[in-house]
Coordinates of all heavy atoms in Angstrom, one line a residue:
L1231 N 16.0 -2.3 3.1 CA 16.6 -2.4 1.8 C 17.6 -1.2 1.5 O 18.6 -1.3 0.9 CB 15.5 -2.4 0.7 CG 14.6 -3.6 0.8 CD1 13.4 -3.5 -0.2 CD2 15.4 -4.9 0.4
F1232 N 17.2 0.0 2.0 CA 18.1 1.2 1.9 C 19.4 0.9 2.6 O 20.5 1.2 2.0 CB 17.4 2.4 2.4 CG 18.1 3.7 2.2 CD1 17.9 4.5 1.0 CD2 19.1 4.1 3.1 CE1 18.6 5.6 0.8 CE2 19.8 5.3 2.8 CZ 19.5 6.1 1.7
A1233 N 19.3 0.4 3.8 CA 20.6 0.1 4.6 C 21.5 -0.9 3.9 O 22.7 -0.8 4.0 CB 20.2 -0.4 6.0
E1234 N 20.8 -1.8 3.2 CA 21.6 -2.9 2.5 C 22.0 -2.4 1.1 O 22.6 -3.2 0.3 CB 20.7 -4.1 2.4 CG 20.5 -4.9 3.7 CD 21.8 -5.6 4.1 OE1 22.4 -6.3 3.3 OE2 22.2 -5.4 5.3
K1235 N 21.6 -1.2 0.7 CA 21.9 -0.6 -0.6 C 21.3 -1.4 -1.7 O 21.8 -1.5 -2.8 CB 23.4 -0.5 -0.8 CG 24.1 0.4 0.2 CD 25.6 0.7 -0.2 CE 26.3 1.5 0.8 NZ 25.6 2.5 1.5
R1236 N 20.1 -2.1 -1.4 CA 19.4 -2.8 -2.5 C 18.3 -1.9 -3.0 O 17.1 -2.1 -2.9 CB 18.8 -4.1 -1.8 CG 19.9 -5.1 -1.4 CD 19.4 -6.1 -0.4 NE 18.2 -6.8 -0.8 CZ 17.7 -7.8 0.0 NH1 18.2 -8.1 1.1 NH2 16.6 -8.4 -0.4
F1237 N 18.7 -0.7 -3.5 CA 17.8 0.3 -3.9 C 16.8 -0.1 -5.0 O 15.6 0.3 -5.0 CB 18.6 1.5 -4.4 CG 19.7 2.0 -3.5 CD1 21.0 2.1 -3.8 CD2 19.3 2.4 -2.2 CE1 22.0 2.5 -2.9 CE2 20.2 2.9 -1.3 CZ 21.6 2.9 -1.7
D1238 N 17.2 -1.0 -5.9 CA 16.3 -1.4 -7.0 C 15.2 -2.3 -6.5 O 14.2 -2.6 -7.2 CB 17.1 -2.1 -8.1 CG 17.8 -3.3 -7.6 OD1 18.1 -3.4 -6.4 OD2 18.1 -4.2 -8.5
E1239 N 15.3 -2.7 -5.2 CA 14.2 -3.6 -4.7 C 13.2 -2.8 -3.9 O 12.2 -3.3 -3.4 CB 14.8 -4.7 -3.8 CG 15.7 -5.6 -4.5 CD 16.3 -6.7 -3.6 OE1 15.5 -7.2 -2.7 OE2 17.5 -6.9 -3.6
I1240 N 13.4 -1.5 -3.7 CA 12.5 -0.7 -3.0 C 11.3 -0.3 -4.0 O 11.4 0.8 -4.6 CB 13.1 0.6 -2.4 CG1 14.3 0.2 -1.6 CG2 12.2 1.4 -1.6 CD1 15.1 1.3 -1.0
I1241 N 10.4 -1.1 -4.0 CA 9.2 -1.0 -5.0 C 7.9 -1.3 -4.3 O 7.8 -2.3 -3.5 CB 9.4 -1.9 -6.2 CG1 10.7 -1.7 -6.9 CG2 8.2 -1.7 -7.1 CD1 11.0 -2.7 -8.0
F1242 N 6.9 -0.4 -4.4 CA 5.6 -0.6 -3.9 C 4.6 -0.4 -4.9 O 4.8 0.3 -5.9 CB 5.4 0.3 -2.7 CG 6.3 0.1 -1.5 CD1 7.4 0.8 -1.4 CD2 6.0 -0.9 -0.6 CE1 8.3 0.6 -0.3 CE2 6.9 -1.2 0.5 CZ 8.0 -0.4 0.6
T1243 N 3.4 -1.1 -4.8 CA 2.4 -1.0 -5.8 C 1.1 -0.5 -5.1 O 0.8 -0.8 -3.9 CB 2.1 -2.3 -6.5 OG1 1.7 -3.3 -5.5 CG2 3.3 -2.8 -7.2
D1244 N 0.3 0.3 -5.9 CA -1.0 0.7 -5.3 C -2.1 -0.2 -5.7 O -1.8 -1.3 -6.3 CB -1.3 2.2 -5.8 CG -1.3 2.3 -7.3 OD1 -1.6 1.3 -8.0 OD2 -1.1 3.4 -7.8
N1245 N -3.3 0.1 -5.4 CA -4.5 -0.8 -5.7 C -4.7 -1.0 -7.2 O -5.3 -2.0 -7.6 CB -5.7 -0.2 -5.0 CG -5.9 -0.8 -3.6 OD1 -5.6 -1.9 -3.3 ND2 -6.4 0.1 -2.7
E1246 N -4.2 -0.1 -8.0 CA -4.4 -0.2 -9.4 C -3.2 -0.9 -10.1 O -3.0 -0.8 -11.3 CB -4.6 1.2 -10.0 CG -5.8 1.9 -9.5 CD -7.1 1.1 -9.6 OE1 -7.3 0.5 -10.6 OE2 -7.9 1.2 -8.6
K1247 N -2.3 -1.4 -9.2 CA -1.1 -2.1 -9.6 C -0.1 -1.2 -10.2 O 0.8 -1.6 -11.0 CB -1.4 -3.2 -10.6 CG -2.2 -4.4 -10.0 CD -2.4 -5.5 -10.9 CE -3.2 -6.6 -10.3 NZ -3.4 -7.8 -11.1
G1248 N -0.2 0.1 -9.9 CA 0.8 1.1 -10.3 C 2.1 0.9 -9.5 O 2.0 0.8 -8.3
N1249 N 3.2 1.0 -10.1 CA 4.5 0.8 -9.4 C 5.1 2.1 -8.9 O 5.1 3.1 -9.7 CB 5.5 0.0 -10.3 CG 5.2 -1.4 -10.4 OD1 4.5 -2.0 -9.5 ND2 5.6 -2.0 -11.5
Y1250 N 5.7 2.1 -7.8 CA 6.4 3.2 -7.2 C 7.8 2.7 -6.9 O 8.0 2.0 -5.9 CB 5.7 3.8 -6.0 CG 4.3 4.3 -6.3 CD1 3.3 3.4 -6.3 CD2 4.1 5.6 -6.7 CE1 2.0 3.8 -6.7 CE2 2.8 6.0 -7.0 CZ 1.8 5.1 -7.0 OH 0.5 5.6 -7.4
S1251 N 8.8 3.1 -7.7 CA 10.2 2.6 -7.5 C 11.1 3.7 -7.0 O 11.0 4.9 -7.5 CB 10.7 2.0 -8.8 OG 9.9 1.0 -9.3
F1252 N 11.9 3.4 -6.1 CA 12.9 4.4 -5.6 C 14.0 4.5 -6.6 O 14.6 3.5 -7.1 CB 13.5 3.9 -4.3 CG 14.5 4.8 -3.6 CD1 14.2 6.2 -3.5 CD2 15.7 4.3 -3.2 CE1 15.1 7.0 -2.9 CE2 16.6 5.2 -2.6 CZ 16.3 6.5 -2.5
T1253 N 14.3 5.7 -7.0 CA 15.3 6.0 -8.0 C 16.4 7.0 -7.4 O 16.2 7.6 -6.4 CB 14.7 6.6 -9.3 OG1 14.0 7.8 -8.9 CG2 13.8 5.6 -9.9
S1254 N 17.5 7.1 -8.1 CA 18.6 8.0 -7.7 C 18.1 9.5 -7.7 O 17.1 9.8 -8.5 CB 19.8 7.8 -8.6 OG 19.5 8.2 -9.9
P1255 N 18.7 10.3 -6.9 CA 19.9 10.1 -6.1 C 19.5 9.3 -4.9 O 18.4 9.5 -4.3 CB 20.3 11.5 -5.7 CG 19.1 12.3 -5.7 CD 18.3 11.8 -6.9
Y1256 N 20.3 8.3 -4.5 CA 20.0 7.4 -3.4 C 20.5 8.1 -2.1 O 21.4 7.6 -1.4 CB 20.7 6.1 -3.6 CG 20.3 5.4 -4.8 CD1 21.2 4.9 -5.8 CD2 18.9 5.2 -5.1 CE1 20.8 4.3 -6.9 CE2 18.5 4.6 -6.3 CZ 19.5 4.1 -7.2 OH 19.0 3.5 -8.3
T1257 N 19.8 9.2 -1.7 CA 20.1 9.9 -0.5 C 18.9 9.8 0.5 O 17.8 9.4 0.1 CB 20.3 11.4 -0.8 OG1 19.0 11.9 -1.3 CG2 21.4 11.6 -1.8
K1258 N 19.2 10.0 1.7 CA 18.1 9.9 2.8 C 17.0 10.9 2.5 O 15.9 10.7 2.7 CB 18.7 10.2 4.2 CG 19.1 8.9 4.9 CD 17.8 8.1 5.1 CE 18.1 6.8 6.0 NZ 16.9 6.1 6.3
E1259 N 17.4 12.1 2.0 CA 16.4 13.1 1.7 C 15.5 12.7 0.6 O 14.3 12.8 0.7 CB 17.1 14.4 1.3 CG 16.1 15.6 1.0 CD 16.8 16.9 0.6 OE1 18.1 16.8 0.3 OE2 16.2 17.9 0.5
N1260 N 16.0 12.1 -0.5 CA 15.2 11.6 -1.6 C 14.4 10.4 -1.1 O 13.2 10.3 -1.6 CB 16.1 11.3 -2.8 CG 15.3 11.0 -4.0 OD1 14.3 11.7 -4.3 ND2 15.7 10.0 -4.8
F1261 N 15.0 9.6 -0.3 CA 14.3 8.4 0.2 C 13.0 8.9 1.0 O 11.9 8.3 0.9 CB 15.2 7.6 1.1 CG 14.5 6.5 1.8 CD1 14.2 5.3 1.2 CD2 14.2 6.6 3.2 CE1 13.6 4.2 1.8 CE2 13.6 5.5 3.8 CZ 13.3 4.3 3.2
A1262 N 13.2 9.9 1.9 CA 12.1 10.4 2.7 C 10.9 10.9 1.8 O 9.8 10.7 2.0 CB 12.6 11.5 3.6
K1263 N 11.3 11.6 0.7 CA 10.3 12.2 -0.2 C 9.6 11.0 -0.9 O 8.3 11.1 -1.1 CB 10.9 13.1 -1.2 CG 11.5 14.4 -0.6 CD 12.1 15.3 -1.7 CE 12.6 16.6 -1.1 NZ 13.3 17.4 -2.1
F1264 N 10.3 10.0 -1.3 CA 9.8 8.8 -2.0 C 8.8 8.1 -1.1 O 7.7 7.8 -1.5 CB 10.9 7.9 -2.4 CG 10.4 6.5 -2.8 CD1 9.8 6.3 -4.1 CD2 10.5 5.4 -1.9 CE1 9.3 5.1 -4.4 CE2 10.1 4.2 -2.3 CZ 9.5 4.0 -3.6
M1265 N 9.1 7.9 0.2 CA 8.3 7.2 1.1 C 7.0 8.0 1.4 O 5.9 7.4 1.5 CB 9.0 6.9 2.4 CG 10.1 5.9 2.3 SD 9.6 4.3 1.5 CE 8.3 3.7 2.6

Side-chain angles (χ1 to χ4, degrees):
L1231 294 173
F1232 186 92
E1234 288 289 309
K1235 299 188 184 327
R1236 292 160 56 180
F1237 306 123
D1238 59 337
E1239 295 180 47
I1240 305 179
I1241 303 172
F1242 295 96
T1243 59
D1244 58 26
N1245 269 325
E1246 304 303 320
K1247 296 185 178 180
N1249 287 332
Y1250 299 85
S1251 302
F1252 181 51
T1253 57
S1254 61
Y1256 300 128
T1257 63
K1258 263 298 185 179
E1259 182 180 9
N1260 191 37
F1261 174 76
K1263 291 179 180 178
F1264 166 76
M1265 290 309 299

